[in-house]
Amino acid sequence: MKTNTLKIAIIDNDDALAPIYPTYFEANESYELLGTYRSVQQLLSDFGQQNPDIILCEAQLSGISGIDGLEYFYKKNENLQVLMMSQKNDIKLIKEAFKKGACGFLIKPLTKERVLRALDALGQHGVALELDVAKKIISSFQTKSFDSFSRKENEIIELLTQGFTYKMIADKLCVTPSAVNFHIQNIYVKLNVNSKSEALQKLKEMELRQLNAA
């Protein structure tokens, strides 16, 4: 192994993938696969001997999840890079992974080319973010969505905050102005406000709280 070869540890409890991962690194001088582990605990118990540079870890594991494992990994080596992966393309899961220190996120099923490209990206940029994941993150910040409102109410809120009039909203959503007015009255009730200006101010405050919590 060359001195500049990066050491990789993989954590995945999918037994079908265990024999496949080594083939990703055959005849590769940039990376050496130290081993494939079934749990966070298994790698932690072997961490001192292996001392990986990069961990590729399944986000949803039994016992200590991959995301919760981030804290334990960084206590072992604060310069470590951890790339999460999951079959579940869920924005909450993705945000939680990055919030706890992940350097990238891959959606399964994986290929050799995608894994190596992500590892190269980590080396060049310190983060690996595939297009589908990036789009999901951007969309989550661009589209306003509040749990206390229905899907239709959230659609109207989105247009309302963009400066649409009631008639423009009706035209955009292909409904009558009276239907828009009905939904807006429900929105006012839920917000406990009496005017459009009050509603917009309160929605802005709610959006800021969501962004701070993200």
Side-chain angles (χ1 to χ4, degrees):
M1 183 184 71
K2 293 184 178 181
T3 55
N4 60 346
T5 300
L6 294 174
K7 296 180 290 183
I8 312 294
I10 295 177
I11 306 175
D12 197 334
N13 57 3
D14 188 339
D15 292 332
L17 295 174
I20 297 175
Y21 286 128
T23 66
Y24 290 1
F25 303 95
E26 289 175 350
N28 190 306
E29 295 187 353
S30 298
Y31 307 104
E32 179 202 11
L33 180 62
L34 297 173
T36 302
Y37 301 82
R38 298 195 79 258
S39 68
V40 169
Q41 298 95 315
Q42 189 180 20
L43 175 58
L44 289 174
S45 65
D46 202 26
F47 202 95
Q49 288 185 320
Q50 299 288 29
N51 196 27
D53 299 299
I54 300 172
I55 296 174
L56 178 60
C57 184
E58 164 63 45
Q60 297 176 296
L61 295 166
S62 55
I64 301 174
S65 72
I67 292 177
D68 288 338
L70 286 162
E71 179 183 353
Y72 295 94
F73 299 145
Y74 291 130
K75 282 182 179 178
K76 293 285 187 180
N77 179 3
E78 62 181 13
N79 296 315
L80 188 68
Q81 291 179 300
V82 184
L83 183 60
M84 305 302 298
M85 57 181 173
S86 177
Q87 190 84 34
K88 194 174 180 182
N89 189 1
D90 179 78
I91 187 60
K92 290 184 179 179
L93 188 68
I94 294 168
K95 281 186 175 182
E96 186 66 15
F98 281 111
K99 193 173 183 179
K100 292 196 174 182
C103 299
F105 201 105
L106 296 174
I107 305 300
K108 291 179 174 179
L110 302 178
T111 64
K112 175 181 178 179
E113 291 73 21
R114 286 175 59 212
V115 169
L116 293 179
R117 190 161 56 241
L119 292 173
D120 289 344
L122 280 183
Q124 294 174 21
H125 311 294
V127 64
L129 201 58
E130 290 187 310
L131 184 59
D132 286 349
V133 174
K135 283 182 176 178
K136 196 123 188 166
I137 293 172
I138 292 169
S139 177
S140 74
F141 286 103
Q142 287 180 332
T143 304
K144 299 177 184 67
S145 182
F146 303 105
D147 293 338
S148 54
F149 299 104
S150 68
R151 182 182 61 81
K152 182 62 69 178
E153 287 168 351
N154 270 306
E155 288 179 354
I156 290 173
I157 286 170
E158 177 71 17
L159 297 173
L160 199 64
T161 55
Q162 290 178 23
F164 280 57
T165 65
Y166 291 7
K167 186 179 185 306
M168 290 165 65
I169 294 173
D171 292 341
K172 179 76 173 178
L173 299 181
C174 299
V175 297
T176 65
S178 60
V180 172
N181 186 62
F182 170 79
H183 286 298
I184 285 178
Q185 292 306 313
N186 285 338
I187 292 169
Y188 284 7
V189 169
K190 290 179 180 180
L191 290 173
N192 192 27
V193 298
N194 298 305
S195 68
K196 181 179 177 180
S197 60
E198 287 179 334
L200 291 174
Q201 179 60 37
K202 202 152 191 178
L203 288 166
K204 185 177 181 180
E205 292 170 359
M206 290 172 65
E207 185 181 1
L208 285 173
R209 283 198 296 270
Q210 277 196 353
L211 289 173
N212 290 332

